[in-house]
Amino acid sequence: MSATPRVPARSGPFHPLSIAIVGAGPTAVYALDALQRQGVAHRVTLLEAGGQPGQGIPFNARHNGAHLLANIAGYELPPVGETLNAWATRQSPQRQAALGLAGTAHDPRAFFPRMALGAYYADQLGRLMTPEAGPCATALHCHAEVQDILARPDGVEVVWKQRGRRHTADFDAVIVASGYGKPDVGARLAGATARTAHGRRVAVLGSSLSAIDAAVELAVRHGHFHEAGDGTLRYALEQPFAVTFLSRHGLLPEADFWVPETAPPLRHCTPEALGRVVQGRAGDLDRAFALFARELGEADPGYAAALNLESCDVDSFAERHFSARMAADPFAHARANLAEARASHAQRKASPWRHAILRLHEAFATIVPTLADADLARFSRGLKRVFVDNYAAVPHLSVVRLLALHDAGVLAVQRVDGRQGVARGPDGGWQIAGQTFDDVIDARGQAPLGLEDFPFPTLRLHLCAQALAQEREWHEGLAPAQGHVLDPEDPALARVHVLSLPFLLHRHPFIQGLTESAAMARACVAALMRRAEATPLSRDDIHVALAWLDRTDPIYQGHDVLMVARPSA
């Protein structure tokens, strides 16, 4: 087993912390891995609401069969002790077959089933909780639903319910690594998911990989895929059903394109260059787009000429970028794009403009949180769509299945106005855009959540009061400081780190992947290690605490006192 050897306990100016991690999915696994690597004997308690620790909702074996593919290749996945492919190749032939890895376990560019990634993280979590993994003492509580978090200058109290009993414990710090937020809209409206929909006419809101997964899940329940004599994948319908993707733009995702594992640095639109022109002022986005256009134009002059990039601005670029696809039949484009993507892999040759946009989105991710509100809205309407479409390219097999379903006459795509709602029809079905469906499945992914949706009432009250004092809108969610600390200037909130993606998406729209989860966890642990430096209480610390008390008001929660920011006059 090629796991990371035990890290010796670090001696020196550090003292152990007691740390609670809310959630035990992949983000929590990365956080625990980073803590074990620090060499300090922290006491770590993981509180997992479900019964399958390590897997997380998107990779949970209960909700994913071997036919549902993850959207990240092995070489892209940040390793936890060992790479995904090293772990896969050492599994028994029987387990490889059960997880859908037979024949691909060794391939670092293969897309594994979601449940295989869940099994990988579950195994790594188990290893990280052994004495050989590092000096941290760990405890895992499953079926532990965290009900409240009370942050105070002297510590953080966590309240959870487990098997009908209420538990409380105090910690030095808390990492909120819980995953997805509200259930999807379709499930709330129609009570339907891809596994529970029984109607013959099914609407799927969205057209991304999640929508393809929903269609494939329905397809395996109503028929089967098989390879025809000419080597193409076909779908045989056994029980009548039909699926319609309802999408605002009517576009299907493009197929995964080949990129080198390492790439030369950007020349013009670097994070440093963007940081110099983006400072929260009006016009920042226009200055950033000028760098973007220069980089993209040099990377692919032919693409730039086709779009007349020189005459583009940040508000017109997306429309020109998508214009050819919007005018084409979506399945015809998918078929042509799949052939192009397969050729790029066979030749190990990147599409210059696609690769450039992929790298540029990483640079833009560093400045989006600092954009002024008006620029952030413009970015979300245009350039963000291009970035998301580019990095959300899907596995080739997913596109092949999509085409097989369309060829069998069971899958269609319809463009709908985003303002059109979902309503009950007179026959008990669901009416959308003038059509009636038996079931509706929302596959549009996780929407950004605001402070009013934060699940821990006392901490939510604390954050909402602070936002009110700072004249921030609650719907904007969270914008943590370095290390994902809620507020380093507040002695109480400085003890809480939030890595929960739904509440960060408003200002950090590109943090939905496992690579970002790993980066957030490492940054969080680095901040915790700064807190773990053994420094005595100084007069400055006392003055900070007194000043904090002076600018806050108390709220009484049972026997506890919570200090929240006093609204400004």
Side-chain angles (χ1 to χ4, degrees):
M1 176 177 175
S2 56
T4 304
R6 178 187 174 98
V7 180
R10 178 184 293 183
S11 60
F14 292 90
H15 67 272
L17 300 174
S18 59
I19 302 167
I21 302 180
V22 180
T27 304
V29 173
Y30 282 117
L32 181 56
D33 181 49
L35 286 167
Q36 291 285 34
R37 290 172 180 270
Q38 293 299 322
V40 179
H42 301 299
R43 298 179 300 280
V44 184
T45 301
L46 294 98
L47 301 167
E48 165 59 29
Q52 295 178 295
Q55 297 183 19
I57 294 175
F59 311 107
N60 193 300
R62 290 182 179 178
H63 303 110
N64 292 283
H67 50 279
L68 301 182
L69 301 179
N71 200 24
I72 185 169
Y75 81 93
E76 300 174 288
L77 191 76
V80 185
E82 61 182 333
T83 67
L84 176 63
N85 289 102
W87 167 85
T89 53
R90 67 178 180 81
Q91 303 307 304
S92 68
Q94 294 79 8
R95 195 180 190 202
Q96 286 186 5
L99 293 173
L101 302 177
T104 62
H106 65 285
D107 184 357
R109 288 185 177 266
F111 291 96
F112 290 172
R114 295 178 189 271
M115 61 186 288
L117 269 66
Y120 167 77
Y121 285 114
D123 284 0
Q124 300 312 315
L125 177 59
R127 179 187 61 80
L128 287 169
M129 298 189 68
T130 64
E132 292 73 27
C136 294
T138 60
L140 170 64
H141 298 275
C142 290
H143 304 290
E145 182 182 353
V146 175
Q147 297 183 314
D148 208 357
I149 296 174
L150 295 84
R152 297 185 293 262
D154 63 337
V156 186
E157 180 181 346
V158 179
V159 181
W160 71 93
K161 188 176 182 180
Q162 186 176 26
R163 303 189 188 281
R165 294 184 58 189
R166 184 178 184 271
H167 302 265
T168 65
D170 290 318
F171 300 90
D172 295 313
V174 170
I175 301 173
V176 180
S178 51
Y180 289 74
K182 294 179 178 178
D184 60 65
V185 173
R188 289 203 308 275
L189 289 173
T193 67
R195 291 198 169 191
T196 62
H198 296 291
R200 292 180 56 176
R201 300 161 300 173
V202 181
V204 176
L205 307 182
S207 59
S208 66
L209 180 60
S210 297
I212 296 175
D213 286 346
V216 170
E217 182 67 40
L218 290 165
V220 298
R221 288 176 43 209
H222 291 81
H224 65 275
F225 292 99
H226 63 96
E227 190 171 300
D230 60 358
T232 59
L233 190 72
R234 300 293 175 87
Y235 178 69
L237 185 65
E238 297 168 1
Q239 299 175 348
F241 87 109
V243 178
T244 302
F245 288 172
L246 300 176
S247 166
R248 179 176 300 182
H249 302 290
L251 299 177
L252 294 173
E254 295 201 312
D256 173 68
F257 53 92
W258 187 88
V259 296
E261 295 186 18
T262 58
L266 297 169
R267 297 180 58 190
H268 308 293
C269 193
T270 64
E272 296 76 19
L274 287 169
R276 288 192 292 269
V277 301
V278 175
Q279 299 177 357
R281 302 169 298 166
D284 280 352
L285 186 59
D286 300 290
R287 288 183 283 272
F289 180 77
L291 295 173
F292 168 91
R294 184 179 179 188
E295 190 81 49
L296 186 56
E298 289 189 8
D300 196 330
Y303 168 86
L307 262 66
N308 195 6
L309 186 57
E310 289 186 357
S311 67
C312 272
D313 60 21
V314 71
D315 299 306
S316 62
F317 174 74
E319 182 179 353
R320 295 192 193 182
H321 173 82
F322 287 116
S323 61
R325 282 169 67 185
M326 293 282 286
D329 174 87
F331 293 98
H333 177 82
R335 207 177 302 275
N337 173 255
L338 176 63
E340 181 185 358
R342 283 174 162 170
S344 80
H345 278 268
Q347 300 166 10
R348 297 176 60 84
K349 184 178 180 181
S351 165
W353 66 263
R354 288 187 174 92
H355 191 207
I357 290 176
L358 183 67
R359 295 156 62 205
L360 284 163
H361 111 262
E362 297 169 352
F364 262 70
T366 65
I367 57 95
V368 171
T370 65
L371 290 174
D373 289 344
D375 274 350
L376 180 61
R378 294 169 66 204
F379 173 80
S380 297
R381 288 194 298 267
L383 199 53
K384 175 186 170 182
R385 289 175 48 213
V386 177
F387 285 140
V388 171
D389 176 76
N390 183 263
Y391 73 67
V394 302
H396 294 181
L397 181 56
S398 295
V399 180
V400 170
R401 288 169 170 166
L402 178 151
L403 292 171
L405 291 174
H406 176 66
D407 290 342
V410 299
L411 177 62
V413 176
Q414 180 178 340
R415 191 177 303 167
V416 295
D417 189 324
R419 293 169 295 183
Q420 291 175 312
V422 181
R424 272 290 189 189
D427 61 349
W430 298 90
Q431 290 188 337
I432 310 174
Q435 296 188 66
T436 301
F437 299 94
D438 300 313
D439 293 294
V440 179
I441 299 170
D442 189 349
R444 292 173 295 181
Q446 175 66 60
L449 298 181
L451 294 182
E452 65 272 23
D453 298 309
F454 206 60
F456 315 114
T458 306
L459 184 56
R460 178 175 68 238
L461 180 63
H462 197 156
L463 293 169
C464 287
Q466 184 190 63
L468 181 65
Q470 297 173 355
E471 299 183 345
R472 290 186 288 111
E473 297 288 341
W474 291 357
H475 74 273
E476 292 181 356
L478 295 168
Q482 184 180 12
H484 289 270
V485 181
L486 280 181
D487 185 352
E489 303 300 322
D490 185 316
L493 295 182
R495 295 178 177 273
V496 182
H497 303 250
V498 175
L499 311 183
S500 184
L501 302 184
F503 299 97
L504 307 177
L505 282 173
H506 182 75
R507 283 283 176 180
H508 300 271
F510 303 131
I511 61 168
Q512 300 188 58
L514 292 166
T515 301
E516 289 296 328
S517 292
M520 288 193 303
R522 289 193 296 267
C524 170
V525 170
L528 280 169
M529 290 304 295
R530 290 191 291 271
R531 172 175 285 277
E533 293 186 45
T535 55
L537 184 67
S538 68
R539 289 183 59 84
D540 289 340
D541 296 321
I542 295 171
H543 289 314
V544 168
L546 290 174
W548 182 78
L549 289 170
D550 184 59
R551 64 181 171 86
T552 56
D553 281 333
I555 289 179
Y556 298 93
Q557 175 98 358
H559 297 292
D560 299 307
V561 179
L562 170 69
M563 308 304 293
V564 298
R566 181 180 298 128
S568 56

